[in-house]
Amino acid sequence: QSALTQPASVSGSPGLSITISCTGTSSDVGGYNYVSWYQQHPGKAPKLMIYDVSNRPSGVSNRFSGSKSGNTASLTISGLQAEDEADYYCSSYTSSSTPYVFGTGTKVTVL
Amino acid sequence: QVQLVESGGGVVQPGGSLRLSCAASGFTFSRNGMHWVRQAPGKGLEWVAFIRYDGSNKYYADSVKGRFTISRDNSKNTLYLQMNSLRAEDTAVYYCAKEGYSSSSLPDYWGQGTLVTVSS
């Protein structure tokens, strides 16, 4: 099972919006509404930001939103803030013998 | 609140073995599936293994299949990862994570991780 494809880096100015893509196949992202997004600051554990494509856990800012079209899921961060600077990973359930896969990760930089 | 505390990491020689533990609290451990996920230094997240709430089913990444064994003791609220035939490429921070409420069982809460270094 290959990792899901994410851009290595995305940057944006404070207050603006950015979108991170996560591309898989019909066996994972495209086949199920089971995509999660995680935020990871340096030296810290990942934190769940979005689950089931577009649902936000309690306590996560509504500046974070998720969507999916075909085999590509997306995470949008609106009103970008300095604290959003971190690595972001998508993850999906898959129909393969290894049922879970992570994305390659995206480093978000706030300019 | 949910707490997951990993332990057991350290330095081990190639070909050696190590057992990681993850002590869980703040939720009903016996009702939740659990994951192990690892992250090599400076690299991305890699899913390693998953065990259902009652231990009835276990799943592994191809990279560890046949070498690693995930298990749990619901009476002790503890998750384990037995790692045998360790290789240099197994060097990573190992995180335990609780399955979320999604039907996918993808993780929600994560521990802080324990570092495993495979080196001679």
Side-chain angles (χ1 to χ4, degrees):
Chain A
Q1 176 68 44
S2 299
L4 306 174
T5 301
Q6 298 180 233
S9 62
V10 173
S11 61
S13 298
L16 300 187
S17 296
I18 61 169
T19 297
I20 303 167
S21 61
C22 169
T23 301
T25 69
S26 58
S27 296
D28 39 64
V29 174
Y32 308 91
N33 287 324
Y34 293 147
V35 176
S36 290
W37 288 91
Y38 302 91
Q39 176 192 65
Q40 186 181 34
H41 288 107
K44 300 296 187 181
K47 175 187 176 183
L48 178 66
M49 307 302 285
I50 295 287
Y51 69 95
D52 289 353
V53 174
S54 60
N55 294 299
R56 262 188 323 273
S58 174
V60 172
S61 170
N62 60 8
R63 298 186 298 104
F64 292 84
S65 62
S67 62
K68 191 185 83 167
S69 177
N71 295 338
T72 298
S74 299
L75 174 71
T76 297
I77 309 174
S78 57
L80 205 58
Q81 298 179 3
E83 66 208 50
D84 300 330
E85 191 161 288
D87 294 325
Y88 291 82
Y89 295 90
C90 61
S91 184
S92 175
Y93 174 81
T94 88
S95 59
S96 75
S97 59
T98 56
Y100 303 102
V101 63
F102 281 92
T104 51
T106 298
K107 181 176 181 59
V108 168
T109 301
V110 180
L111 301 172
Chain B
Q1 72 280 22
V2 173
Q3 270 204 309
L4 297 167
V5 180
E6 302 92 339
S7 61
V11 180
V12 61
Q13 292 189 339
S17 298
L18 211 55
R19 188 177 84 155
L20 305 183
S21 300
C22 170
S25 61
F27 65 102
T28 307
F29 180 74
S30 61
R31 295 183 183 176
N32 285 269
M34 297 293 295
H35 296 264
W36 285 102
V37 178
R38 68 184 181 184
Q39 187 170 34
K43 302 297 184 182
L45 300 172
E46 179 188 13
W47 177 79
V48 173
F50 175 75
I51 184 169
R52 295 217 177 272
Y53 69 99
D54 58 358
S56 59
N57 292 93
K58 306 173 184 181
Y59 306 89
Y60 298 93
D62 288 342
S63 57
V64 307
K65 204 170 292 183
R67 300 188 299 123
F68 289 12
T69 301
I70 189 172
S71 63
R72 63 191 298 157
D73 186 337
N74 286 345
S75 68
K76 296 182 178 178
N77 287 353
T78 303
L79 174 73
Y80 302 101
L81 186 68
Q82 177 66 45
M83 304 185 296
N84 298 331
S85 302
L86 282 162
R87 307 166 180 167
E89 54 265 36
D90 295 319
T91 294
V93 172
Y94 284 73
Y95 296 99
C96 68
K98 166 188 164 294
E99 74 172 352
Y101 293 107
S102 163
S103 298
S104 70
S105 297
L106 279 164
D108 57 2
Y109 290 96
W110 300 58
Q112 288 303 306
T114 187
L115 177 62
V116 172
T117 302
V118 184
S119 173
S120 55

